[in-house]
Amino acid sequence: MKQPLPEIRSLRDAFAFREHVESSAKEGGREVVAQFYQYPVFYYANHLNLSGPGDIEVYSEHLEKLDFELEVAIVIGKEGKNIPANRADEHIAGFTIMNDFSARHIQWDEMKVKLGPHKGKDFATALGPHLTPLSDLNEFRQDTEKGSQWHMKMQAFVNDELISQGNLGDMYFTFAQIIERASFGTTLYPGECIGSGTVGSGCFREYNYSQRLKNPEHKDRWLKPGDVIRLNVEGLGELENKIILK
């Protein structure tokens, strides 16, 4: 049974899809660091500036290279600390769709400092349209020694055009492994939210890179005022947002 999203107490976003990480590194002319394959990493995002379905208001500075990011997020439902991966799924209240909007020109510039994204991200993150408990997702679930994987189709549309598609089951690290890492030495509380990171092909950055490989004359696409972004995830519904210039 679908449930309203609870008040989000904190927001982390992980980096769990290998295809997205490797594609982004190639696009930037870099190698993937070895640590990515060793343990799941995440950054803290702004849980006080979250949106649901509906309008996303941005400033002109955000529009130079404004991107969507197709993700799924979990909400913690049970308190715990030093949670092992083989028990971590017990701490998940449910899943929701996440759109981690990114102002790429700001993000790429500020990350040269090597402190992680901040103003390129904290202006807009959308969650919704509701929280789906794990009990509603058993048909997609596959249990492993590293926690459960959920094989759920993911799609992103911009103005009804299919831009990207992937599968939640392609996560290199499971949500259970991410919880294990996040809870090391730290208590996780009900209402904390953790994003999966972007599914492979799940943003304009990757779309543009793939199109340039096919055609060097490709003109990069980014979000603009009036664009409608629909994220569909099997079992979770649809999250729709529209870009509005402030």
Side-chain angles (χ1 to χ4, degrees), residues 88-201:
D89 289 326
E90 301 171 15
H91 292 260
I92 301 175
F95 286 12
T96 191
I97 303 172
M98 178 170 168
N99 193 336
D100 172 36
F101 288 99
S102 301
R104 297 297 190 189
H105 76 296
I106 299 176
Q107 176 194 356
W108 295 338
D109 191 46
E110 67 189 4
M111 288 188 69
K112 293 174 183 176
V113 183
K114 300 187 182 301
L115 193 59
H118 28 95
K119 297 312 296 182
K121 295 280 191 176
D122 74 351
F123 62 96
T125 301
L127 296 174
H130 41 240
L131 184 70
T132 300
L134 298 194
S135 58
D136 286 3
L137 301 172
N138 286 332
E139 64 181 294
F140 307 109
R141 186 170 184 166
Q142 178 182 358
D143 292 330
T144 76
E145 293 180 354
K146 299 177 180 180
S148 297
Q149 292 178 317
W150 281 268
H151 296 272
M152 300 154 65
K153 296 177 183 177
M154 304 172 66
Q155 295 179 312
F157 297 83
V158 177
N159 301 330
D160 294 325
E161 177 184 355
L162 178 63
I163 298 297
S164 63
Q165 54 187 336
N167 196 293
L168 189 63
D170 291 335
M171 290 174 67
Y172 186 77
F173 295 104
T174 65
F175 277 120
Q177 290 173 292
I178 296 170
I179 290 172
E180 180 180 67
R181 182 71 176 179
S183 69
F184 170 65
T186 301
T187 301
L188 298 185
Y189 296 95
E192 296 200 67
C193 183
I194 306 175
S196 63
T198 307
V199 68
S201 84

Side-chain angles (χ1 to χ4, degrees), residues 27 58-69 100-109 120-121 123 203-205 208 212 220-224:
E27 193 266 349
V58 301
Y59 291 97
S60 57
E61 286 183 274
H62 297 128
L63 290 169
E64 187 174 330
K65 291 182 174 67
L66 181 60
D67 209 351
F68 69 92
E69 298 202 52
D100 172 36
F101 288 99
S102 301
R104 297 297 190 189
H105 76 296
I106 299 176
Q107 176 194 356
W108 295 338
D109 191 46
K121 295 280 191 176
F123 62 96
C203 59
F204 265 140
R205 178 183 186 178
N208 289 331
R212 289 198 303 270
D220 286 353
R221 295 179 59 180
W222 303 102
L223 296 175
K224 58 186 183 303

